[in-house]
Every structure is written in C-alpha cells, then in structure tokens.
Amino acid sequence: MKVVTSEQMRQIETRCEAAGISTDSLMDKAGLAVAKRARHHLGHLTGVHVLVLVGPGNNGGDGLVAAGHLQRWGARVTAYICLDRRDPDPRLEAAVRRGVRAVEASSDDGLARLAEALESAHMVVDSVLGTGRSRPIEGRLNEVLGRVSEVVGTRRGPRVVALDLPS
C-alpha cells in the first residue's frame, strides 16, 4: 500500500482520467479492494453485519460498491447515508438491488436506526470523507459521527475500516 497526500491523490486521479481510466472504473476497483480487505479481516461473512457510513461524494460511491460486494458474499449490510447524495444515484441503486439496506440519516429520528445498526455491527466501513474538498463536520453529520465514535471507542465496539480519510 502506498500512502499519498490528498493533493497527490487528486493528481493520480487526473492522470488516470487522462489515460482513459474513468472515475466509475476507479470507484469499482476501490470498492472491490475495500470489500476484499473487509472480508480478509472478518473471515467468514455469513451472519456478519457490516455498517457502511456513506458520504455524498466519490468516497461514498466507493463504500456503496464495497457494500454491494459484501452483501453478495453473504454479509448483512446496512448503508447509512450520512449526507444527501445526488439523485438519481446509480451506486446506491445497485447496492440496494443486491440487498443492501439503505437508511438515510436525514429521516432517522433520534438516530435510532443508526444505534440499532451499530449495536449489531461487526465492522464499520467509513466512506464519509474523501480527498475532495473539505467540508465542516457540523449538524446531523456531527451527531452521526459522534454516535459512531461512542460505540467504536468501547471495548466491544466493531472494527473500523476507513476509505481515504477516517471521519
């Protein structure tokens, strides 16, 4: 694995596009790689619950691709949409077709559905923040990430795999 800065990653992505490798192709490859890594850490996937925290950009798209693979391989996957995504969203639609349960933070009163998903999660895949433009962590996103931090920080909390940047 090579560690790069956000600026270096943007340059790599720009060179990929110039070479004819689409953003969609990059997302497909990144999502598959994350799913394989998660499967490696979890071992068997039957009966395993994975919570994927999904952001609004390409990083969230990577997470949705990973969610679809993990669901197809036998995990029970919940995609928690932390911030609104574009509509229509082909990545989200594909994940849902594969059986991924999608929950939107904007309609999760009291974050009850997030709490339920965290309670049973064996792993959390963090695909909220990417290498794109920075955005403040405030409002509903701050509440969601605060709740996740409370659970993840406990001894019995789920493992966390972060794409690009940990939220």
Side-chain angles (χ1 to χ4, degrees):
M1 172 174 37
K2 182 176 181 178
V3 178
V4 296
T5 67
S6 295
E7 180 56 34
Q8 289 170 325
M9 191 68 237
R10 282 190 286 275
Q11 291 172 3
I12 291 168
E13 289 172 346
T14 299
R15 286 195 304 268
C16 285
E17 284 185 38
I21 303 169
S22 70
T23 301
D24 283 341
S25 178
L26 292 174
M27 277 196 280
D28 288 341
K29 290 176 189 313
L32 178 58
V34 167
K36 285 180 177 179
R37 187 43 116 188
R39 181 174 62 183
H40 170 78
H41 284 295
L42 291 167
H44 69 89
L45 292 177
T46 303
V48 170
H49 179 221
V50 178
L51 171 61
V52 180
L53 302 174
V54 180
N58 289 349
N59 193 258
D62 297 345
L64 289 167
V65 171
H69 287 296
L70 292 167
Q71 181 77 31
R72 186 171 53 91
W73 296 339
R76 185 172 47 94
V77 182
T78 300
Y80 195 83
I81 314 303
C82 297
L83 294 167
D84 291 338
R85 293 185 53 80
R86 64 185 163 134
D87 187 24
D89 185 345
R91 300 284 175 196
L92 179 57
E93 292 167 3
V96 168
R97 275 194 308 274
R98 285 193 165 166
V100 172
R101 176 180 169 232
V103 176
E104 294 195 26
S106 60
S107 63
D108 186 12
D109 294 331
L111 302 180
R113 293 166 73 190
L114 174 63
E116 173 189 310
L118 282 166
E119 175 81 20
S120 64
H122 295 90
M123 177 176 280
V124 173
V125 175
D126 175 356
S127 64
V128 179
L129 303 175
T131 60
R133 67 178 174 81
S134 61
R135 62 182 58 86
I137 297 176
E138 57 190 17
R140 189 60 153 193
L141 179 58
N142 189 45
E143 293 174 41
V144 168
L145 295 178
R147 184 72 56 89
V148 171
S149 290
E150 289 171 8
V151 173
V152 167
T154 66
R155 183 180 173 129
R156 292 181 42 227
R159 292 178 176 219
V160 178
V161 172
L163 285 73
D164 290 353
L165 304 170
S167 301

